[in-house]
Amino acid sequence: GTDASMATHITNIVERGYVVLVDEAGIPLRPFRPPRPGQPRPPRQVGRYLVPTSLGMNVIELFENHTIQPSTTEVMAGDSSSLDLLARPAIRAQMEAEVKQIASGEMSKEECLAKNLAWFEQRYHELSTSLSKQRVYEFGRSLRPTKDSLKHWKSLRAFASTSASRSQSPGQGQGRRKSTQKKRPTSTPKQKSKRNQRPRVRT
């Protein structure tokens, strides 16, 4: 996509659970919350990375491993019609190119919208036709919690070590120890002079 649509696209795939946003140690990013009084600050998270979840990876695999051959000869993004095109970035690039054609007057908005809706409707029809109970069952069994997916990536050493990524700045996240020793009162000049005077002896 373009810079204008990139942020919205990333937000959509994160909210739908296809990817998870983590730091360089593979820990999901925490939403910003000011610390409560008396509580230490949590370790600062470094980096922002998109990691595919089991849902996202299995949806892509579902597109690529379909068993129904395309029923049309429509060409899009320089390739023949196929269900696995749903998992390719070329589709979004093609749509962005058609939007530029609308801006330059080479294509009408209605023509572009009708063309893309018909193409996607045909692809999803192919997907629903190719799905069997066995494939749906296997798809459901392949799903796992996000934390388990992150453990899998960590086992492959895809992230930095936790100790290196959680290095804190001096004093960050550490409570200051209060001294339990009482300070001795300092003597004033008058008190010091009185201490130095010898007591007078009456005769």
Side-chain angles (χ1 to χ4, degrees):
T2 61
D3 295 338
S5 62
M6 186 61 66
T8 303
H9 175 63
I10 292 177
T11 301
N12 289 337
I13 61 177
V14 170
E15 291 180 348
R16 294 169 186 174
Y18 298 135
V19 297
V20 59
L21 193 61
V22 301
D23 61 10
E24 65 178 9
I27 302 174
L29 293 185
R30 299 181 302 268
F32 174 75
R33 293 177 182 175
R36 296 180 180 179
Q39 290 186 346
R41 291 180 176 271
R44 187 172 68 91
Q45 294 183 283
V46 181
R48 294 168 61 89
Y49 301 91
L50 292 172
V51 178
T53 62
S54 63
L55 175 61
M57 296 180 66
N58 281 281
V59 167
I60 297 298
E61 186 178 355
L62 198 66
F63 291 159
E64 294 177 345
N65 296 338
H66 67 285
T67 57
I68 300 297
Q69 295 296 327
S71 58
T72 65
T73 58
E74 181 185 357
V75 176
M76 192 170 190
D79 203 345
S80 59
S81 298
S82 178
L83 185 60
D84 60 351
L85 285 176
L86 291 172
R88 299 185 186 180
I91 296 303
R92 287 181 56 83
Q94 174 70 19
M95 295 174 64
E96 295 290 349
E98 292 176 350
V99 170
K100 291 182 180 180
Q101 293 180 2
I102 295 175
S104 61
E106 300 176 12
M107 179 184 294
S108 65
K109 181 182 70 173
E110 292 75 14
E111 179 185 357
C112 178
L113 183 61
K115 175 184 176 181
N116 283 278
L117 287 178
W119 190 89
F120 279 101
E121 183 179 358
Q122 181 63 30
R123 301 292 80 74
Y124 284 112
H125 175 70
E126 294 173 2
L127 176 62
S128 61
T129 306
S130 65
L131 290 178
S132 61
K133 292 183 178 180
Q134 181 63 26
R135 293 192 68 191
V136 174
Y137 175 75
E138 293 175 354
F139 178 82
R141 290 197 61 182
S142 62
L143 300 179
R144 51 186 174 180
T146 301
K147 61 179 182 180
D148 292 343
S149 298
L150 294 177
K151 287 181 180 179
H152 170 71
W153 290 112
K154 289 180 180 179
S155 66
L156 300 177
R157 298 182 179 180
F159 306 116
S161 60
T162 306
S163 58
S165 63
R166 286 191 172 185
S167 58
Q168 300 178 359
S169 58
Q172 183 178 0
Q174 299 177 356
R176 296 181 179 179
R177 297 181 179 178
K178 296 183 179 180
S179 176
T180 57
Q181 297 179 355
K182 295 182 179 180
K183 295 182 179 180
R184 296 181 179 179
T186 56
S187 302
T188 60
K190 292 184 179 181
Q191 291 175 341
K192 289 182 179 180
S193 61
K194 289 183 180 181
R195 291 178 182 175
N196 296 330
Q197 292 179 358
R198 295 181 178 179
R200 297 179 181 178
V201 181
R202 294 182 180 179
T203 55

